[in-house]
Amino acid sequence: MGRYCVTVTCEARRGIVAVISGYLAGKDCNIRDSSQFDDIESNRFFMRTSFLAEANTSLEELQRDFAPIAAQYGMTATFHDENERLNVVIMVSRFGHCLNDLLYRTRIGALPINIVAVISNHLDFQKLVVNHDIPFHYIRVTKENKPEAEAQQLAIIRDSGAQLVVLARYMQVLSDEMCQALSGRTINIHHSFLPSFKGAHPYHQAHARGVKLIGATAHYVTAELDEGPIIEQDIIRVSHNQSPEDYVTLGRDVESQVLARAIHAHAHRRVFLNGRSTVVFPASPGSFASSRNG
């Protein structure tokens, strides 16, 4: 039987949940998990429902036959195969903690993704990536060649069939044109001090100011630098008797975890854009389980 989920957004109104659950029951589908949210301020409704198609109804049939209901209620509704793995391109510079973490989680099946390419403006991780049987693309980026470099990057993303781009500490600012081309499908990770500690060595700046909490933020990329809709955040306590280098090491651990959780949420269709914010539903039972050991 098929394991699917349906994601729905529309104007909030009475009867939506009943209509969706009634439709699924009429198609011999058994709901396993469901989350919903009414945003009172925007009057928007969001829903994600995971279910089993016990009569082996196809994804195409479910989408097609639901179309008249979606039109009646003004819904944006999409049915997804929960066994489908998302194609992902990772972009990285010279900090490899997030890249290494994602390679490991992907290898053990903890993330439902296929890393189809890694793009870097440095050669530091070429051997690591190639040893994982993943294409590595070195594209040098300078102020003078940035338009040409981004054109090459976009071509790789397009040709690889990537559905998501992850900036795993890619230390280049994307142009407005590239942000627009990848809108809604690019996730970035950064330390949560922004905008308090901008520029070089943010953890050293935080140490100098006696910060007691450090953390990380994963967000969708927009033309506004580090201002995109937030998907996931976390923090860790630090103290006066730790060095700036301790801050860096602890911060990198948090960055890796936050980025992985953001990708997990996106890949499982748990994230909904809501203006400049997001609605992020809890994970379905069993979705964090790894399919194999390390």
Side-chain angles (χ1 to χ4, degrees):
M1 62 184 73
R3 292 182 54 209
Y4 304 133
C5 74
V6 58
T7 56
V8 174
T9 60
C10 62
E11 182 180 341
R13 57 186 289 189
R14 188 185 304 113
I16 297 173
V17 174
V19 165
I20 295 171
S21 58
Y23 172 78
L24 293 175
K27 287 289 187 179
D28 295 320
C29 297
N30 183 22
I31 293 175
R32 300 169 59 245
D33 177 70
S34 188
S35 299
Q36 66 190 71
F37 175 67
D38 272 330
D39 186 340
I40 296 175
E41 293 184 0
S42 66
N43 197 38
R44 300 293 294 169
F45 174 83
F46 306 87
M47 185 173 179
R48 179 192 183 278
T49 300
S50 177
F51 60 92
L52 294 175
E54 296 180 339
N56 287 320
T57 309
S58 71
L59 199 65
E60 293 74 20
E61 180 182 336
L62 289 167
Q63 185 77 55
R64 182 194 67 223
D65 292 352
F66 191 73
I69 298 173
Q72 179 184 350
Y73 283 83
M75 298 178 187
T76 299
T78 308
F79 288 78
H80 309 273
D81 186 343
E82 291 199 323
N83 292 313
E84 179 185 297
R85 297 167 69 88
L86 211 64
N87 289 337
V88 175
V89 166
I90 295 177
M91 299 178 69
V92 63
S93 290
R94 309 197 78 168
F95 297 106
H97 51 289
C98 290
L99 171 64
N100 274 281
D101 183 75
L102 295 177
L103 289 171
Y104 174 73
R105 291 177 191 266
T106 302
R107 190 178 77 231
I108 66 171
L111 284 175
I113 64 174
N114 298 312
I115 301 175
V116 294
V118 172
I119 299 172
S120 181
N121 56 331
H122 296 277
L123 289 166
D124 299 50
F125 303 111
Q126 182 180 33
K127 185 176 180 180
L128 170 69
V129 172
V130 171
N131 284 345
H132 280 79
D133 295 323
I134 297 170
F136 180 89
H137 302 273
Y138 167 62
I139 300 176
R140 183 170 174 265
V141 182
T142 66
K143 183 178 180 180
E144 291 72 27
N145 81 335
K146 189 163 186 169
E148 293 79 12
E150 288 193 339
Q152 293 179 53
Q153 293 166 350
L154 287 171
I156 292 167
I157 293 166
R158 180 189 66 245
D159 295 344
S160 67
Q163 298 153 286
L164 178 68
V165 176
V166 175
L167 307 184
R169 292 307 302 271
Y170 180 66
M171 308 305 289
Q172 291 283 330
V173 177
L174 303 186
S175 68
D176 291 355
E177 293 76 16
M178 191 163 183
C179 289
Q180 291 170 9
L182 300 176
S183 177
R185 58 189 184 105
T186 306
I187 295 175
N188 186 34
I189 183 70
H190 66 68
H191 50 82
S192 282
F193 305 124
L194 294 173
S196 299
F197 300 106
K198 291 187 176 182
H201 308 297
Y203 289 109
H204 290 70
Q205 295 180 55
H207 182 270
R209 290 285 299 275
V211 162
K212 300 300 184 283
L213 291 171
I214 61 175
T217 297
H219 63 92
Y220 287 116
V221 172
T222 63
E224 298 175 272
L225 182 61
D226 295 324
E227 298 290 340
I230 293 170
I231 306 168
E232 180 64 55
Q233 292 178 296
D234 206 350
I235 56 171
I236 187 171
R237 293 198 67 85
V238 291
S239 69
H240 63 276
N241 64 354
Q242 290 170 318
S243 69
E245 289 71 26
D246 290 330
Y247 278 35
V248 171
T249 299
L250 292 168
R252 288 177 179 175
D253 284 343
V254 180
E255 289 171 12
S256 298
Q257 295 172 41
V258 168
L259 181 58
R261 293 204 296 264
I263 295 170
H264 187 278
H266 180 94
H268 282 278
R269 281 87 182 185
R270 296 191 285 114
V271 186
F272 295 73
L273 288 173
N274 185 22
R276 298 187 65 182
S277 182
T278 58
V279 172
V280 184
F281 287 129
S284 297
S287 64
F288 283 112
S290 300
S291 60
R292 52 193 177 274
N293 295 325

